[in-house]
Amino acid sequence: NNLSEMTEVRKPQDKKGPHKKKESILDLAPYLEKRMRVKFNGGREASGVLKGYDALLNLVLDGATEYLKETEETIKTGKKTRQLGLVVCRGTNIVTICPQDGIEQIANPFLQSDQ
């Protein structure tokens, strides 16, 4: 009983072949280190410096600020924002992403080119 044989990690065999890495539909690389505004399902909004993202559009925002909805409490306190710091935004909850400095038109990734 050799210890290395006992601790060997085996990968399950995949009958379908190797999985392709999921490719992101949006290229957010030009926006890294830039301030972005994000809207979520349910109406929440936040902004922060884009530090990273993945193919599922999960985002990492640094110095994030949440913009609070107008409620009785926020009207009473006069507080319109809340500092969050470093956050991970789940891609499945994101509705829109845009640069804080303004909106820029991009090519529609869903259009099929005529060939």
Side-chain angles (χ1 to χ4, degrees):
N1 286 347
N2 189 347
L3 183 59
S4 64
E5 289 175 15
M6 293 173 47
T7 59
E8 181 183 343
V9 177
R10 295 184 181 168
K11 296 179 182 176
Q13 296 296 321
D14 187 5
K15 295 176 184 173
K16 297 179 184 176
H19 293 287
K20 278 188 169 180
K21 188 174 181 181
K22 202 166 204 176
E23 199 174 304
S24 180
I25 195 155
L26 287 178
D27 180 21
L28 295 176
Y31 302 103
L32 287 171
E33 300 299 325
K34 293 188 179 165
R35 195 149 191 85
M36 303 294 285
R37 184 135 181 171
V38 182
K39 292 185 183 183
F40 299 93
N41 287 332
R44 287 185 174 204
E45 292 186 42
S47 69
V49 177
L50 182 64
K51 292 292 186 177
Y53 66 97
D54 65 11
L56 300 174
L57 291 182
N58 296 313
L59 307 178
V60 177
L61 298 177
D62 195 16
T65 302
E66 179 183 9
Y67 299 92
L68 302 172
K69 292 182 186 178
E70 199 170 281
T71 63
E72 287 182 29
E73 185 179 331
T74 58
I75 292 170
K76 192 186 310 180
T77 63
K79 199 170 183 183
K80 296 184 185 220
T81 62
R82 169 171 83 149
Q83 296 304 310
L84 301 175
L86 184 67
V87 296
V88 176
C89 306
R90 185 146 181 197
T92 55
N93 290 328
I94 295 174
V95 176
T96 62
I97 307 167
C98 67
Q100 183 78 25
D101 296 336
I103 297 174
E104 179 181 316
Q105 187 172 353
I106 63 167
N108 185 342
F110 297 105
L111 284 180
Q112 299 293 324
S113 60
D114 297 331
Q115 293 181 357

